[in-house]
Amino acid sequence: MTSTTAHSRRDDALETDDEFRARLRAFLTGHHPGRRPKDPAERLAWRKAWLATLFDAGYAGPSWPREYGGMELSFAQQVIYQEEYAKARVPGPLGTGLGIAAPTLIKYGTAEQKERFLRPMLRGDTVWAQGYSEPEAGSDLPALRTTARREGDEYVVNGQKVWNSAADLADIIFTLVRTGTRESRQQGITYLLVDAHAPGVTVRPLRDLTGDAHFCEIFFNDVRVPVSHRIGEENGGWPLVRTSLGHERAAGTMNQAAMYRRVLDELIELAHERGTTADPLVRDRLADLEVRVRIMRYTGMRTISDILAKGEPGPASSTSRLFTVTFEQDLHEFAVDMLGSHGVLGRHDPHAVQRGRWVWGFLRTRASTIGAGTAEIQRNTIAEQLLGLPRDPAVPDVVRPR
């Protein structure tokens, strides 16, 4: 532990929230990693170096237990952390492990697994990617077909996953496999950690509407995975899935709220620059977005409070997830409409406004209502588990996270 880390962890319990905010802001400003490199390899190294800087100085994992390298902040300070982090415009986490796999490991992993995997994940030394969805099993995860056959102290994994964020950067893929019969559905699912560099693992990037490759497909061909890399019991992976999905929807709620606070401020400034605020319809739309970004912040605070009180975000995480994805789609749709003819110019066009950022955001957020559980699934969860409405007979009961 560095002297900076020791100081921050010795004194933080005595700090006021304002003092914590000032200290965090000073650190983020004083250690800012600079502009993002254009070269992909340099950019990856730049992001890893930043995550290591955070960890070594004791500023990583605001909600993580201290025994695994986190800050274990109070509710109020977690909110402050996310707000200041978003304002600082520093790199975010690599992969999807921190918000999804880590809570699952902390709750269900063995002592050896926690010691081996958690700190390197938080420091950015290892990048984790999720392997849940399949071509024939998206929202209906119990229908997954990727198999794992046990041979002694190993599983032999065969199958395909799709829509996997950051799999092309990953060192570890946390995935769901079928160890029971196909008819066993959720009773035959096991949670495995797969070495992304192992023989038989093939990752192929998938290009999306923006022209970038944010997602990948993964192929497993006789991949050997040690039994020691199984989290929980064989055929007992479904409760772990529910933990993962709930935290995935809750993990970045406050960070997204703070980020979109800044994005909306920039959009309002752009509207002033272009003279469109004279239009009452534009002002009305901006006012609506202003109300919603404030609601997003309060919803994020409620989610963090639920996790601290209950250990799980529960079905309410579907509310924040649905609210956020519809907000970001509406915001970018409005931005493109406000730009008029410039709203069709991509980022490589010399006449594009602000390098085409709003058009890029419009295209990127088309997928928002699909990722981390479709908007339809979120609405079912809200209707049934929060509002107590009758269950939709068309959706298998096991799909609903508890």
Side-chain angles (χ1 to χ4, degrees), residues 198-359:
V201 178
T202 302
V203 177
R204 296 177 184 170
L206 296 171
R207 201 160 299 280
D208 60 25
L209 286 172
T210 67
D212 296 331
H214 296 284
F215 305 105
C216 302
E217 55 183 346
I218 306 170
F219 298 89
F220 300 119
N221 183 20
D222 288 337
V223 179
R224 293 191 169 269
V225 180
V227 172
S228 60
H229 284 204
R230 184 189 71 213
I231 308 300
E233 298 299 321
E234 184 172 304
N235 296 326
W238 187 247
L240 282 66
V241 177
R242 297 205 296 269
T243 294
S244 293
L245 291 177
H247 279 273
E248 178 180 15
R249 292 162 190 157
T253 304
M254 278 307 303
N255 184 270
Q256 286 179 308
M259 179 191 71
Y260 275 114
R261 170 72 275 167
R262 170 176 55 80
V263 170
L264 180 57
D265 288 343
E266 292 168 349
L267 181 59
I268 293 172
E269 183 179 350
L270 177 63
H272 282 296
E273 291 175 358
R274 299 182 70 83
T276 58
T277 52
D279 185 338
L281 295 179
V282 169
R283 294 199 303 272
D284 184 68
R285 292 286 298 277
L286 289 173
D288 174 68
L289 293 171
E290 175 67 31
V291 170
R292 290 164 69 184
V293 82
R294 295 188 186 192
I295 292 174
M296 190 188 304
R297 179 176 184 269
Y298 293 126
T299 302
M301 293 171 66
R302 182 180 65 182
T303 301
I304 293 176
S305 179
D306 286 345
I307 293 174
L308 290 176
K310 307 171 188 175
E312 293 283 351
S317 65
S318 291
T319 306
S320 59
R321 172 67 185 168
L322 180 62
F323 189 89
T324 298
V325 298
T326 54
F327 171 84
E328 63 183 5
Q329 286 186 344
D330 290 347
L331 181 145
H332 287 96
E333 285 179 8
F334 166 72
V336 169
D337 287 343
M338 186 186 72
L339 290 174
S341 59
H342 285 87
V344 299
L345 301 180
R347 58 186 173 178
H348 299 299
D349 191 294
H351 302 291
V353 175
Q354 296 182 346
R355 299 181 180 180
R357 62 173 288 193
W358 303 105
V359 181

Side-chain angles (χ1 to χ4, degrees), residues 84-203:
E84 292 300 320
Y85 200 95
K87 290 177 183 177
R89 299 196 185 194
V90 289
L94 272 168
T96 53
L98 292 182
I100 311 175
T104 305
L105 266 172
I106 290 171
K107 183 170 183 177
Y108 295 101
T110 65
E112 190 277 332
Q113 289 169 339
K114 295 174 185 179
E115 181 65 27
R116 177 176 181 180
F117 293 117
L118 287 173
R119 286 177 176 269
M121 183 199 303
L122 184 57
R123 194 175 187 273
D125 296 330
T126 56
V127 180
W128 290 50
Q130 183 186 57
Y132 283 9
S133 296
E134 297 184 3
E136 302 298 327
S139 296
D140 186 13
L141 279 177
L144 66 87
R145 299 181 180 181
T146 296
T147 61
R149 183 183 72 258
R150 184 160 179 176
E151 292 186 358
D153 292 332
E154 293 180 320
Y155 289 101
V156 181
V157 180
N158 285 279
Q160 178 186 358
K161 301 292 180 177
V162 73
W163 311 124
N164 314 107
S165 301
D168 53 334
L169 308 176
D171 301 297
I172 296 175
I173 300 167
F174 55 104
T175 191
L176 304 176
V177 295
R178 181 156 303 288
T179 43
T181 65
R182 182 174 297 182
E183 294 72 27
S184 64
R185 289 183 62 81
Q186 78 274 17
Q187 279 80 26
I189 290 176
T190 298
Y191 195 113
L192 292 183
L193 307 182
V194 180
D195 180 353
H197 309 295
V201 178
T202 302
V203 177

